[in-house]
Amino acid sequence: MFSTLTPMTSTQNGDTQPNASDADLEDAKTEQKFQSRAIPFLSAFNDIETHLRIVLEARRSDSFWWMVDRAVDKHLLSRRQGEVLKDYGNLRNAISHGRYNNGEPIAEPHPVVVKDIEMLRGLLIDPRSALSILQPTNVVSLSPDSPVTDALKVIREDGFAQIPIYEDNKFVQLLTTNTISRWVATDLADNNALDARTIADVLAMVKKIDQAVFLARDITAQEAVDALISPDKVGRLPHAAIVTENGERNQKPLRIITTSDLAILIDSLSLE
């Protein structure tokens, strides 16, 4: 009767133990590789789920998908990020159920997935403010009594397309290059001359599409993006967002966020 001997190796104390086969080593590497991806994925997912449950004051019976939808409604996540998180919720379930095929897990997080969910965790738990992402700029404001030439000088020399108008420290209107263009066209039509002398004369040309929204200094990047891309009840988008200390219209303007800033803010929120 023949027996098959397993190769042995000596330890430091003289004992012997079987050598691991190549298949065993490969299985160990595969399991370690899976665990190294699954552990950070599940850790990030659990952090996100816990954070949402606390911030949204969700009940234990509220589903993860429900919380994600509420987070999107409250501008904590973009709609795209919400859809990605729902997909990751399905992946979490597949991993947690522990289903295997021929000894190997059927669900394995891709490295990009792990990187994305860790980024989403950071965006949710420690979101960056819009002002920390955008370059600081000076805000030039004028009054209704200011000469029209002052506004033209600001546009020409500073390159600003929006100028907030204040009277006695109270916000009056947002003067835009669109408004000035309408004023020029209208004023030239009657006698081929520009008759307006003050900004108050030009403000008569302001239309609803030239409106601004007001945001607080600590507004997050996601909240700022949503404010600029969310139309009002009749479908109009704000022309710009004026940032003040607490988001109140009669406070000192700290920065104007325009549509040209959108690309920077959206890029800061984009997944790989």
Side-chain angles (χ1 to χ4, degrees):
M1 183 176 185
F2 296 95
S3 62
T4 302
L5 299 179
T6 302
M8 309 294 284
T9 183
S10 298
T11 60
Q12 290 182 347
N13 57 14
D15 296 334
T16 59
Q17 61 184 20
N19 281 334
S21 66
D22 291 342
D24 291 336
L25 291 175
E26 189 63 31
D27 288 343
K29 290 180 180 179
T30 300
E31 182 178 358
Q32 182 180 16
K33 178 181 178 182
F34 168 70
Q35 289 179 345
S36 65
R37 294 181 186 175
I39 290 174
F41 173 86
L42 292 174
S43 176
F45 187 95
N46 291 337
D47 288 345
I48 290 172
E49 186 174 27
T50 300
H51 178 75
L52 290 179
R53 200 167 292 281
I54 294 173
V55 170
L56 300 173
E57 299 181 348
R59 297 169 297 184
R60 294 188 64 180
S61 59
D62 292 329
S63 69
F64 180 73
W65 279 38
W66 181 89
M67 291 191 296
V68 169
D69 287 338
R70 299 293 78 73
V72 172
D73 293 341
K74 291 181 175 293
H75 311 294
L76 303 177
L77 292 167
S78 70
R79 192 162 303 278
R80 169 60 181 159
Q81 290 168 346
E83 293 302 319
V84 169
L85 265 184
K86 288 180 179 180
D87 289 339
Y88 290 169
N90 293 332
L91 177 57
R92 185 279 304 265
N93 292 337
I95 295 173
S96 298
H97 290 163
R99 297 162 59 190
Y100 288 80
N101 181 26
N102 295 327
E104 295 184 7
I106 65 172
E108 178 181 352
H110 190 277
V112 172
V113 169
V114 176
K115 184 177 180 180
D116 282 353
I117 197 170
E118 289 178 337
M119 179 179 178
L120 280 172
R121 176 176 59 187
L123 292 174
L124 263 176
I125 297 178
D126 189 23
R128 294 183 63 186
S129 69
L131 295 190
S132 71
I133 296 170
L134 300 173
Q135 290 289 334
T137 61
N138 294 325
V139 178
V140 177
S141 62
L142 298 172
S143 71
D145 295 331
S146 300
V148 176
T149 53
D150 285 359
L152 298 178
K153 181 179 179 180
V154 169
I155 294 171
R156 182 178 65 253
E157 296 185 359
D158 298 320
F160 295 155
Q162 300 87 12
I163 305 172
I165 308 301
Y166 289 82
E167 185 173 25
D168 298 329
N169 296 321
K170 293 183 179 180
F171 178 76
V172 176
Q173 189 56 260
L174 182 68
L175 180 63
T176 69
T177 51
N178 289 343
T179 299
I180 292 178
S181 297
R182 287 193 295 270
W183 158 67
V184 170
T186 302
D187 211 10
L188 287 175
D190 54 359
N191 58 5
N192 206 31
L194 296 176
D195 300 318
R197 292 292 179 264
T198 67
I199 288 177
D201 298 325
V202 179
L203 292 181
M205 296 291 107
V206 170
K207 292 186 176 181
K208 293 293 185 180
I209 58 174
D210 299 320
Q211 301 303 310
V213 293
F214 289 83
L215 305 176
R217 174 199 286 269
D218 59 355
I219 194 80
T220 66
Q222 186 62 59
E223 290 170 327
V225 168
D226 288 344
L228 285 171
I229 66 174
S230 300
D232 61 17
K233 294 180 179 179
V234 296
R236 292 184 300 252
L237 292 173
H239 195 87
I242 299 177
V243 179
T244 64
E245 186 64 34
N246 301 312
E248 298 178 7
R249 61 189 289 118
N250 293 328
Q251 292 180 320
K252 178 182 177 181
L254 304 175
R255 197 189 193 285
I256 297 179
I257 301 178
T258 67
T259 52
S260 61
D261 294 315
L262 268 178
I264 298 174
L265 294 175
I266 292 174
D267 183 65
S268 72
L269 299 168
S270 299
L271 303 177
E272 295 295 333

